[in-house]
């Protein structure tokens, strides 16, 4: 929302007409962090030797993200019981798909539409377009790749999102 507001302010300041934005709640981010916050204490109870890896210190942060990836992958594979107050990965993907379908139905072919959202919904849209498995979609989210590496890969793909996503998936398969 902040990005959209900043862009709208800049656009209006230059004399452009900015359309009235519409909030599409179906494009809200997934609850991966909340799942990790819920599941991490249980993981540490089962495997106390991992406790040092969960510290949010500069050194421990790299290890923390390894645990984050482990837990979110288990969540995607439905190996964890999602608490009733939180959304499962399957429900997240369904919700985001509905949001994009809603946008497509409301606009004509060839009409320009700007969508401001987070990495999870963008990765989901890419996964739909490329027919990717759930774990591959999760690997496309920014939490799984550091921003510098993502920008480097986008630059190597010369700006083509589809080309970037295909290359990213191929590299992930090779790793």
């Amino acid at each position: 929302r902040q990005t959209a507001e900043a862009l709208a302010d800049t656009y209006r300041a230059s004399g452009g007409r900015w359309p009235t934005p519409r909030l599409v709640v179906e494009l809200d981010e997934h609850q991966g962090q909340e799942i990790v916050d819920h599941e991490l204490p249980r993981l540490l109870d089962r495997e106390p030797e991992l406790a040092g890896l969960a510290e949010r210190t500069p050194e421990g942060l790299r290890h923390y993200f390894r645990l984050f990836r482990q837990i979110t992958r288990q969540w995607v594979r439905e190996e964890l019981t999602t608490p009733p107050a939180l959304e499962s990965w399957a429900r997240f993907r369904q919700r985001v798909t509905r949001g994009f379908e809603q946008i497509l139905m409301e606009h004509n072919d060839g009409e320009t539409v700007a969508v401001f959202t987070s990495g999870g919904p963008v990765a989901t849209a890419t996964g739909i377009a490329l027919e990717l498995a759930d774990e591959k979609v999760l690997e496309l989210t920014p939490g799984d790749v550091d921003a510098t590496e993502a920008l480097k890969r986008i630059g190597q793909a010369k700006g083509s999102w589809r080309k970037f996503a295909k290359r990213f998936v191929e590299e992930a398969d090779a790793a």
Side-chain angles (χ1 to χ4, degrees):
R1 190 176 296 161
Q2 292 170 329
T3 303
E5 289 169 0
L7 185 60
D9 290 345
T10 302
Y11 198 76
R12 284 188 203 106
S14 68
R17 188 177 84 55
W18 189 260
T20 303
R22 188 174 70 76
L23 181 65
V24 179
V25 295
E26 289 85 359
L27 299 184
D28 285 351
E29 184 58 275
H30 63 63
Q31 295 180 309
Q33 182 63 56
E34 290 84 353
I35 294 291
V36 170
D37 291 344
H38 176 266
E39 192 60 31
L40 187 58
R42 286 158 186 69
L43 174 64
L44 297 178
D45 283 346
R46 290 188 309 267
E47 302 178 44
E49 67 278 6
L50 298 177
L53 300 179
E55 295 174 7
R56 293 191 187 194
T57 64
E59 173 57 29
L61 207 50
R62 184 169 42 95
H63 300 295
Y64 172 80
F65 282 113
R66 199 172 331 148
L67 293 175
F68 182 93
R69 281 192 293 275
Q70 176 184 338
I71 292 169
T72 54
R73 285 183 179 130
Q74 289 173 330
W75 174 55
V76 165
R77 291 189 302 255
E78 298 183 356
E79 296 171 358
L80 303 174
T81 302
T82 303
L86 298 177
E87 185 176 51
S88 70
W89 175 260
R91 286 195 341 243
F92 164 72
R93 294 259 336 239
Q94 291 166 356
R95 171 174 55 82
V96 170
T97 300
R98 276 193 321 273
F100 280 114
E101 287 172 347
Q102 179 182 345
I103 291 169
L104 290 172
M105 288 188 312
E106 293 173 1
H107 297 279
N108 300 317
D109 284 348
E111 188 176 358
T112 300
V113 176
V115 175
F116 296 88
T117 188
S118 300
V122 170
T124 296
T126 303
I128 291 166
L130 297 177
E131 299 177 351
L132 300 177
D134 287 339
E135 281 191 67
K136 294 295 179 192
V137 171
L138 185 66
E139 290 173 10
L140 291 173
T141 62
D144 234 29
V145 178
D146 92 12
T148 304
E149 182 64 17
L151 289 172
K152 182 175 92 178
R153 291 178 184 185
I154 290 170
Q156 290 168 346
K158 298 189 179 16
S160 164
W161 180 250
R162 186 174 178 89
K163 186 175 177 183
F164 162 70
K166 279 187 172 183
R167 181 178 179 157
F168 183 87
V169 170
E170 289 166 3
E171 287 177 12
D173 283 341

